[in-house]
Amino acid sequence: MRTRIGVVGGGLAGITAALRCADAGAEVTLFEGRSRLGGVAGSFRRAAGDGVLDVDTGQHVFLRCCSAYRGLLDRLGVADLVTLQDRLDIPVHGPGARPGRLRRTGLPAPLHMGAALLGHRPLPLRDRLRLGVAALALRGVDAADPATDAQSFGAWLGAHGQSPRAVDTLWDLVGIATLNERARGASLALAATVFQLGLLTDAAAGDIGWARVPLGRLHDEAARRALREAGVAVRTSTKVRSLHPADQGWQIEVEEEELVMDGVICAVPPPAAHTLLPDGALDLPPGWVEGLGSSPIVNVHVVYDRTVLNTPFAAGIDTPVQWVFDRTGQSGLHRVHPAPAQYLAVSLSAADDVIGEPVAVLRERMLPALVALLPAARDAEVLEFFVTREPHATFRPAPGTAALRPPARTALPGLAVAGAWTATGWPATMEGAVRSGEAAADVLCGSAARTRMTSPGRRSPRTTVRGAA
C-alpha cells in the first residue's frame, strides 16, 4: 500500500511538502482552512470603479539566491510569469532629493557593491567609507553560532562604526523588507544570513525578482493544478480540529469526519501548531509561541489617474514610505480605470506603529509622503485608496529566536512540522517557507522526496540545518 500523508496547511510550506511527498509516491491529502491556497503570499479580488482589482496580500519579492522558491516556481510551471533583474538595481527616493540607485557592478562579490556604497548620497562621505568595513566584517560572522543569534544586529552595527544615519538609510533599507524588523530589534544571525547570501558572497545573488501576475495565479491556481496532476487531494475550506496518534498512524479530525494517515506534516502558523500538536511533539520551552511573537505588515494601496512612478519599485528614505511597488499590470487596473492610471502599493514592514491606525489617518500621512517622493503625484487625482493589514505576518526575528524554532522532525514518529517559522535559518520569507516544506517531506518520505523540485545553481546557506524576501 502507498504511504498516506496528510498535510495540514496550504501555504507555500504545505504546497511544497505535499508535492514532494506525492512525487515520492505517497498518497497525499492537503487540508487548508481558507478557500484558497498560498497563505500570506496570495491574492484576492476587490471591487473598484465598475470592476474588480486583483490585490496581493503582500508585496512579495524574491532574490536570485532563493533557489528553493525558484525551484517551486519551476515545479508549478510558472517560472515564465516572474521577472528577475539582470543586475541588482534599487531606485532610492528621498523627499526633495534627486533619486539615487543601489546598483551592483560586474565585479565579483563583495566588490560588486563598492561603487553603490561610495555613491550613496544620503550619507556623508565618512559614513560611506565605513560601510565597506562593516560589510566585510559581516561577511565573516558565523550565523550558525548560538552566540551570534543572541546578539542584536543594531548593536553589532554600532560596534562596527555604523552611525544611526547609516543604519536608517542603508542597513534598514534592505533589512526591514527581508527581516520584517528594524536592525535594533533583529537577531544578528538572521541579518547575517540575509546579507551574506544576498549581497556579500555571490555578486548575482541579490538580483530581485517579482511576479508579473497576481500571486494567486502562482500560489493558488497553478499550485492547485500541479497538486491535482501529482495526485494530491486538495481540501480547501476544511479546518483541521485535532491531530492524535492512532494505532495505525495519525488521526486527523476535520469537522465531523476523522481520517487516519500514516504520517502528518503540520504546516500552520505557531499558534495553530501549538493548538494542534500533541504534548511533547516539539522540544521547546513553555511559552515558546509568545516568545516567538509576531511582526505586522501594512500595505497602503493608491490608484492615481496618471503615471507617477516610472520604475517597477523604489525604496524610500527619510519618509514613512519604506518600499513602493507599481502593481498596475498585475492588478488588471486598466479593466477598471483607463490608462494612464497607475496602481501603487506601499509596503510597511515591522509596522507596529501603524497597524492599528484608521484608514483616514494613514491617508493623511501617506499621500503627502508620496508627493514628497514622487513629484508627479502632486497634480494627480487619487482614484482609489485602501489599506490591507497582516497583524501577524511573520514571527518576530528577535535575538534568541533560534532556540524557539523547531526542526522539521518532531519527537513523535510520523509527525513533521513546516512553516517559515521553523528552523530554516532564514527569516520568514517565501524561500524559508519552501525550504521548510522540503525538510518536512524529507523527514516522512526520505530521499525520494528530493527528485523533482530542483533548480539550476541550487545551494545551501552557510548555516547548519537551518536555511528576500
Side-chain angles (χ1 to χ4, degrees):
M1 294 180 60
R2 297 168 63 194
T3 302
R4 298 163 299 174
I5 301 294
V7 177
V8 183
L12 295 185
I15 292 168
T16 301
L19 283 171
R20 285 173 72 95
C21 287
D23 289 346
E27 179 182 333
V28 182
T29 302
L30 173 66
F31 304 92
E32 167 54 46
R34 302 184 191 187
S35 61
R36 60 171 178 82
L37 303 180
V40 295
S43 58
F44 62 93
R45 308 201 86 184
R46 183 183 191 276
D50 295 327
V52 293
L53 293 176
D54 289 300
V55 180
D56 284 349
T57 52
Q59 308 314 307
H60 296 271
V61 300
F62 60 94
L63 305 181
R64 191 180 295 277
C65 65
C66 293
S67 54
Y69 177 68
R70 292 173 58 209
L72 176 62
L73 294 178
D74 288 338
R75 179 66 179 83
L76 299 180
V78 292
D80 60 328
L81 298 182
V82 302
T83 293
L84 185 58
Q85 290 180 327
D86 294 330
R87 182 172 293 183
L88 173 66
D89 188 0
I90 303 174
V92 181
H93 292 242
R98 182 162 58 93
R101 302 187 95 88
L102 288 173
R103 177 176 170 83
R104 73 173 175 91
T105 67
L107 294 174
L111 301 177
H112 66 307
M113 294 300 297
L117 298 182
L118 288 175
H120 191 53
R121 291 192 304 271
L123 287 179
L125 180 59
R126 65 179 181 277
D127 280 355
R128 286 182 248 168
L129 293 173
R130 292 172 180 164
L131 291 175
V133 176
L136 289 175
L138 187 59
R139 194 181 188 210
V141 167
D142 182 1
D145 187 342
T148 303
D149 181 64
Q151 298 182 56
S152 155
F153 183 41
W156 185 94
L157 288 172
H160 286 77
Q162 302 305 288
S163 68
R165 178 69 177 166
V167 174
D168 288 342
T169 65
L170 184 80
W171 297 103
D172 268 350
L173 182 145
V174 175
I176 197 170
T178 50
L179 297 166
N180 198 19
E181 182 59 278
R182 299 183 186 278
R184 62 177 178 269
S187 155
L188 173 59
L190 288 174
T193 296
V194 166
F195 283 94
Q196 287 173 0
L197 293 177
L199 290 173
L200 299 175
T201 305
D202 181 345
D207 301 341
I208 298 174
W210 62 92
R212 293 185 286 103
V213 297
L215 288 176
R217 284 272 303 276
L218 309 181
H219 305 151
D220 185 15
E221 295 175 20
R224 285 176 188 264
R225 183 169 58 251
L227 289 163
R228 182 175 62 250
E229 292 172 352
V232 176
V234 178
R235 299 182 58 171
T236 52
S237 301
T238 303
K239 183 178 176 61
V240 172
R241 300 186 183 279
S242 67
L243 300 174
H244 297 290
D247 291 339
Q248 299 178 10
W250 283 85
Q251 179 177 290
I252 300 178
E253 180 187 355
V254 293
E255 299 170 348
E256 297 181 356
E257 183 181 5
E258 294 181 352
L259 303 95
V260 175
M261 301 285 174
D262 298 305
V264 172
I265 294 173
C266 186
V268 296
H274 183 257
T275 299
L276 286 175
L277 296 175
D279 292 342
L282 301 180
D283 183 18
L284 295 176
W288 67 269
V289 175
E290 294 77 13
L292 201 55
S294 64
S295 188
I297 295 177
V298 170
N299 286 274
V300 174
H301 308 260
V302 188
V303 176
Y304 290 102
D305 68 343
R306 67 196 68 182
T307 300
V308 300
L309 175 68
N310 59 9
T311 55
F313 60 85
I317 58 172
D318 299 325
T319 171
V321 177
Q322 294 174 7
W323 287 77
V324 57
F325 297 85
D326 179 4
R327 308 300 296 174
T328 304
Q330 294 93 329
S331 66
L333 176 66
H334 294 155
R335 298 190 306 255
V336 179
H337 296 290
Q342 186 177 41
Y343 170 10
L344 301 184
V346 178
S347 181
L348 305 175
S349 300
D352 298 271
D353 56 337
V354 297
I355 187 66
E357 293 281 19
V359 172
V361 172
L362 289 173
R363 182 183 179 111
E364 184 178 349
R365 179 182 306 163
M366 300 308 297
L367 290 182
L370 284 167
V371 168
L373 294 186
L374 308 171
R378 185 176 305 279
D379 299 321
E381 179 185 355
V382 176
L383 303 177
E384 309 274 353
F385 185 98
F386 59 98
V387 177
T388 55
R389 311 169 197 260
E390 289 285 349
H392 308 287
T394 70
F395 72 88
R396 190 173 295 275
T401 299
L404 305 176
R405 301 177 68 185
R409 187 182 299 276
T410 72
L412 302 179
L415 177 66
V417 292
W421 58 276
T422 60
T424 67
W426 287 69
T429 59
M430 296 191 296
E431 176 73 4
V434 174
R435 285 177 180 266
S436 77
E438 293 177 342
D442 287 352
V443 168
L444 295 193
C445 297
S447 59
R450 306 170 198 161
T451 58
R452 287 288 298 276
M453 294 173 61
T454 58
S455 179
R458 185 79 179 266
R459 64 184 179 86
S460 299
R462 294 174 60 197
T463 54
T464 57
V465 292
R466 309 183 305 146

